[in-house]
Amino acid sequence: MREGIAHRIGPSGIDIAYARFGDPNDPPVLLIMGGGAQMVSWPDGFLAELVARDLSLVIFDNRDVGLSTHLPDSPPVDIVAAMGGDISSAAYDLSDMAADAIGLLEALGIDSAHLVGISMGGMIAQTMAIEYPARVRTLTSISSTTGAPEVGKTDTAAFGAAGPQPRDRDGFIDWQVRAARALASPGFEFDAAAVAETAARTFDRGLDFEGMMRQMVAVITSGDRTEQLAGSRQPTLVIHGTADLAFDVSGGQATAAAVPGAKLVTVEGMGHSLPRALWSGFADEIAALVGRAEAGRGGQARP
């Protein structure tokens, strides 16, 4: 693993913390994490499965989380107003976050990449595919949605089941385990120890509750991508669980329906998580998608 900070990235000129895995001569895959989550939320074992399939990985902290630039001087967040249509408290939108990711690729000397995004990260990946089609080789959208209000609905009771987020380390770790359990995959084993370990790493790298709220408003502000996705031509894989309470399975179904030729993989009993039992199968699906696209590029695997 090679970690670093890329400076003055994209139009916003922010800093982005990132890490690289695998042989840089293999096809590049940019993995984009969800709302409020840091790059350490990608399970090490899942990353290892992808590297074992001859993929070169880049993970990173989105703006407002982890070791990337935070924006504390932004307007105070008003989630309730944003949900009601008043987006005046938005500091940025998904297009800005997509531009961050493109800027990181440029800083790393990668002209185009295969994208794997989960939850909000899937929305950012979709936005990159729409706005920077030449820079996106394939799109994999996991546990995400199109932004259309009638699909991918959230079970707010499950989302808030853990209660307010504590500010102390031990309290945060316990809270994260409760929150993850509420959104976990009922058809698969829940690994509380792994969640606690990730929560500890997250806390130690730096929490920003307001940053997470700014990301949520960015999602709301960005609206419905269905029409734009219909113009996408990147080979696309959509993965979604039937038991997802954060974005119900209709979000994945709508995403796959919107993108011409997209493959939809629905997983019975999978919630808003990446269960260990599914890592190998998901890695196979992603590697197969990448392999077909690389073959179509004439075997060009250079970054």
Side-chain angles (χ1 to χ4, degrees):
M1 180 177 71
R2 299 169 297 284
E3 296 188 53
I5 303 286
H7 300 285
R8 297 180 294 280
I9 295 301
S12 298
I14 64 174
D15 292 348
I16 297 287
Y18 70 92
R20 302 191 70 171
F21 302 79
D23 185 340
N25 293 310
D26 287 336
V29 178
L30 181 72
L31 295 105
I32 311 171
M33 190 31 75
Q38 301 179 20
M39 63 180 177
V40 296
S41 292
W42 289 110
D44 291 339
F46 179 57
L47 300 180
E49 292 278 1
L50 293 171
V51 170
R53 288 158 178 78
D54 298 323
L55 301 177
S56 176
L57 311 183
V58 178
I59 62 174
F60 68 103
D61 289 333
N62 284 304
R63 60 168 66 192
D64 263 333
V65 297
L67 303 181
S68 291
T69 293
H70 294 239
L71 303 168
D73 296 329
S74 301
V77 174
D78 191 334
I79 288 284
V80 175
M83 293 179 69
D86 177 1
I87 58 173
S88 59
S89 70
Y92 48 84
D93 60 18
L94 293 179
S95 291
D96 295 308
M97 301 183 80
D100 294 343
I102 291 294
L104 175 62
L105 292 176
E106 291 175 347
L108 298 178
I110 300 172
D111 64 349
S112 61
H114 305 274
L115 306 183
V116 176
I118 187 167
S119 193
M120 182 192 74
M123 303 175 197
I124 296 171
Q126 293 170 25
T127 304
M128 293 170 69
I130 292 166
E131 298 183 2
Y132 305 92
R135 313 298 294 276
V136 177
R137 300 187 193 182
T138 64
L139 168 64
T140 298
S141 181
I142 305 173
S143 303
S144 193
T145 187
T146 62
E150 66 273 14
V151 300
K153 292 186 177 180
T154 299
D155 183 330
T156 54
F159 219 78
Q165 177 180 294
R167 302 304 172 99
D168 65 290
R169 189 177 191 273
D170 289 343
F172 172 76
I173 293 170
D174 290 343
W175 174 87
Q176 188 69 72
V177 172
R178 294 196 305 275
R181 192 185 297 275
L183 296 175
S185 301
F188 300 88
E189 181 181 358
F190 178 68
D191 192 342
V195 173
E197 180 182 358
T198 298
R201 294 171 70 187
T202 296
F203 187 92
D204 293 343
R205 295 176 86 243
L207 285 182
D208 187 342
F209 181 76
E210 288 73 22
M212 181 177 68
M213 294 297 102
R214 288 191 288 271
Q215 289 185 349
M216 290 179 65
V217 172
V219 169
I220 296 168
T221 298
S222 299
D224 184 0
R225 291 172 296 282
T226 305
E227 184 176 345
Q228 296 97 316
L229 286 169
S232 299
R233 293 297 178 265
Q234 298 91 349
T236 297
L237 170 67
V238 179
I239 299 172
H240 214 109
T242 61
D244 193 328
L245 299 180
F247 299 113
D248 74 46
V249 69
S250 64
Q253 293 166 337
T255 304
V259 179
K263 178 180 180 179
L264 174 64
V265 174
T266 55
V267 183
E268 194 70 30
M270 174 181 159
H272 205 68
S273 65
L274 282 177
R276 183 185 300 271
L278 300 176
W279 294 347
S280 180
F282 287 176
D284 284 342
E285 290 280 1
I286 293 167
L289 180 72
V290 170
R292 290 191 296 271
E294 290 298 317
R297 287 168 50 87
Q300 302 173 59
R302 66 177 180 81

